[in-house]
Amino acid sequence: MTACELLRLGLPVRLLEADTEPHTGSRAVLLWPPTLDVLDGLGMLDDALARGVRPAALAYHMPDGKALRVALGKANEPLVLPQQETTQLLLGVLEKLGGRVEYGVRVTGVGTADDTVTLTTEGPDGARETVTAPWLIGADGVGSTVRQKLGIPFEGGSVPMTFLLAEGEVTGDFGRDAVQYYLGRKGTVLLSPLPGGQVRISGPVPPDMPMTREAVQEILDERGPGGLRFTTATTVDSFTSQERIARTMRSGRVFLAGDAAHVHSVVGGQGLNLGIQDGRNLAWKLAGVIHGTLSPAVLDSYTTERRAVAEQVVQTTGRMIRQAAAGPVAARVRNGVWALMQATGTLRRWYAPMLAGRLTRYPDVLFGAPTPKPPRGLPAPGSRTPLWVPAAGAGQDGFRLLTLGPGDAADLRPAAERLAGAHPDVLAYAHVAHRRTGWLLLRPDGFVAASGKGAAQLAGVEGLLARLVAGG
């Protein structure tokens, strides 16, 4: 995805892959809305939607027979799509953009200098090559060679829990329009719809559980609603998780992204989404620096911003996985809390947007100085762009400045137009009719850079942009 974004932004890339062919299998299947925004920007969203399914809700079934149904709403609905399908679509985009994957090329060494990175590689035929490049992105997984060669600590530990991952056909009565969680007295089991009528079955299991269709059936019988039969198994496996974050995600001209930078529990399906958002954060910054429109200082924010999000996800998924494996007493407390959250509307207002990534926040570090304090009713710097903001137009890959208000907001528009005119290479301007008067400065990656109420605060944006614009 990062290679596609860089190519789309006009940069040449070389993409090295140690494996000899693309991975197959479903693996990461949940693509949350911020990731769907990335796919849309690459022109592949319609194809992805045609191949996947979109659960409308999350349903939690209590031991007493009560069920809590969390309607996600269109803004928070994920797309369930096997990872091999996502990979195939991205490979198609990569080829259209003029890129290709060099399979079977393994990185064996990494050296850095002030203005270059040098790799030693070994090809599928054993041939060795020295590659010199101005920048390197290590997206090479949890065992990242790039991270290890740079000596960057991968801090954290293993989650002492084994999870089942089974897929196939399931007969019987259960709602296939939602992801179903059965919180039984003997444990938790999840049933998620997959494309083609398949079902994913998952949950914490004993580490010595045999990986057979019969063993999966026993889990269904013990923890499920009853009457379900696991008739055809395409996958029966188990896995464990880790909770680790790289101490830094940047070392000079080398960046880490995806599992090379952070890993966490699979609960909530955040892993692939987190990595894709790493790439989205980095691509526009790196492209701006290479094209000469942005100062190299913009890259200083990458580690701080993405580590903050990784920490949020590790904490959240850690709590969720421990709740899923709670003992009898803790499970009763958990179920009572969930019932209260349902009754008060908290599940709908907070839980669904949290899972969807809508509540992700960046620290206010992009400009290297604090931004104006936002007025009540407008989003804070580092929050996601509100859903009511119109989508960026074609070719709008830089910052966007929006003035808000009834009519034409006469006092703000001239100031905004002057500011945009002073930075035509990095800033586009538009006015949006809104009940509140103010302005938003929006980043290229779907987050708010700054917000304010009047022209006086807007004048301060000139100084902020000067910190990021090349030569500013």
Side-chain angles (χ1 to χ4, degrees):
M1 189 287 296
T2 307
C4 288
E5 277 288 280
L6 292 171
L7 285 166
R8 186 181 68 81
L9 294 171
L11 297 178
V13 299
R14 188 170 177 187
L15 184 53
L16 310 181
E17 170 58 62
D19 289 330
T20 57
E21 58 186 19
H23 280 287
T24 59
S26 58
R27 302 203 298 165
V29 300
L30 275 179
L31 303 179
W32 290 101
T35 294
L36 300 183
D37 291 343
V38 176
L39 303 190
D40 193 22
L42 292 174
M44 57 178 276
L45 179 58
D46 289 343
D47 288 339
L49 294 174
R51 297 188 185 198
V53 297
R54 301 198 76 173
L58 307 175
Y60 297 87
H61 302 267
M62 305 301 176
D64 60 4
K66 294 180 181 179
L68 308 179
R69 183 178 173 91
V70 184
L72 294 170
K74 186 176 180 180
N76 298 320
E77 287 181 4
L79 176 68
V80 177
L81 185 68
Q83 187 170 325
Q84 65 181 15
E85 299 283 343
T86 305
T87 298
Q88 289 174 4
L89 291 171
L90 282 169
L91 287 172
V93 173
L94 183 73
E95 292 174 3
K96 288 181 181 178
L97 292 169
R100 68 183 183 92
V101 180
E102 298 178 45
Y103 288 106
V105 180
R106 181 177 300 277
V107 172
T108 58
V110 180
T112 60
D114 290 342
D115 56 356
T116 59
V117 181
T118 301
L119 305 179
T120 54
T121 68
E122 183 176 318
D125 56 357
R128 298 181 181 275
E129 181 184 3
T130 299
V131 179
T132 301
W135 305 92
L136 171 65
I137 301 172
D140 49 341
V142 63
S144 171
T145 298
V146 172
R147 187 190 66 239
Q148 293 179 41
K149 293 296 182 182
L150 292 174
I152 297 174
F154 203 32
E155 299 170 333
S158 299
V159 177
M161 203 172 297
T162 301
F163 269 74
L164 167 70
L165 176 61
E167 294 175 354
E169 295 179 357
V170 175
T171 61
D173 186 19
F174 72 98
R176 296 174 187 257
D177 66 332
V179 179
Q180 307 287 342
Y181 295 84
Y182 293 93
L183 310 177
R185 292 184 175 87
K186 295 186 177 181
T188 299
V189 66
L190 171 149
L191 298 177
S192 174
L194 294 174
Q198 298 274 301
V199 176
R200 171 172 283 190
I201 305 167
S202 187
V205 296
D208 58 351
M209 173 181 157
M211 292 297 108
T212 63
R213 186 181 65 80
E214 292 75 18
V216 176
Q217 183 63 55
E218 288 183 16
I219 293 292
L220 277 179
D221 293 340
E222 289 179 354
R223 308 179 188 179
L228 302 184
R229 304 300 302 171
F230 188 38
T231 56
T232 304
T234 56
T235 298
V236 178
D237 205 349
S238 66
F239 62 92
T240 57
S241 301
Q242 299 183 59
E243 294 177 335
R244 296 182 183 273
I245 303 177
R247 182 175 296 175
T248 180
M249 294 171 61
R250 180 191 181 188
S251 177
R253 288 177 168 260
V254 182
F255 301 88
L256 300 176
D259 287 356
H262 40 66
V263 291
H264 54 83
S265 159
V266 298
V267 175
Q270 300 296 323
L272 178 60
N273 298 273
L274 190 59
I276 283 180
Q277 295 302 316
D278 289 343
R280 189 181 191 191
N281 181 294
L282 180 57
W284 69 268
K285 296 175 181 177
L286 195 54
V289 170
I290 294 173
H291 286 316
T293 57
L294 296 180
S295 164
V298 72
L299 298 171
D300 295 339
S301 62
Y302 175 70
T303 280
T304 305
E305 290 179 347
R306 294 312 298 168
R307 262 194 64 95
V309 174
E311 289 168 355
Q312 294 168 37
V313 171
V314 168
Q315 292 171 4
T316 300
T317 58
R319 288 194 298 268
M320 292 171 67
I321 196 171
R322 288 162 181 80
Q323 289 177 5
V329 175
R332 285 196 294 272
V333 174
R334 173 200 64 197
N335 295 347
V337 171
W338 278 76
L340 179 62
M341 291 171 66
Q342 170 80 347
T344 59
T346 304
L347 288 179
R348 174 179 51 81
R349 293 193 307 269
W350 170 79
Y351 185 68
M354 181 273 294
L355 285 178
R358 298 290 184 196
L359 304 185
T360 297
R361 293 287 296 270
Y362 283 154
D364 188 11
V365 298
L366 179 66
F367 298 104
T371 57
K373 183 178 180 180
R376 179 183 290 273
L378 290 181
S383 59
R384 284 206 174 271
T385 298
L387 293 172
W388 50 262
V389 171
Q396 290 186 343
D397 295 316
F399 286 86
R400 288 196 295 155
L401 177 62
L402 302 183
T403 51
L404 312 172
D408 58 3
D411 59 330
L412 278 175
R413 295 196 69 164
E417 289 169 353
R418 285 194 297 271
L419 183 59
H423 302 286
D425 293 334
V426 297
L427 184 62
Y429 166 67
H431 178 73
V432 176
H434 197 264
R435 60 187 178 85
R436 294 187 180 275
T437 298
W439 53 268
L440 299 178
L441 180 64
L442 304 177
R443 299 161 45 131
D445 54 7
F447 285 82
V448 176
S451 61
K453 185 175 182 180
Q457 281 188 321
L458 182 59
V461 172
E462 178 71 38
L464 296 176
L465 284 175
R467 293 171 173 267
L468 294 189
V469 175

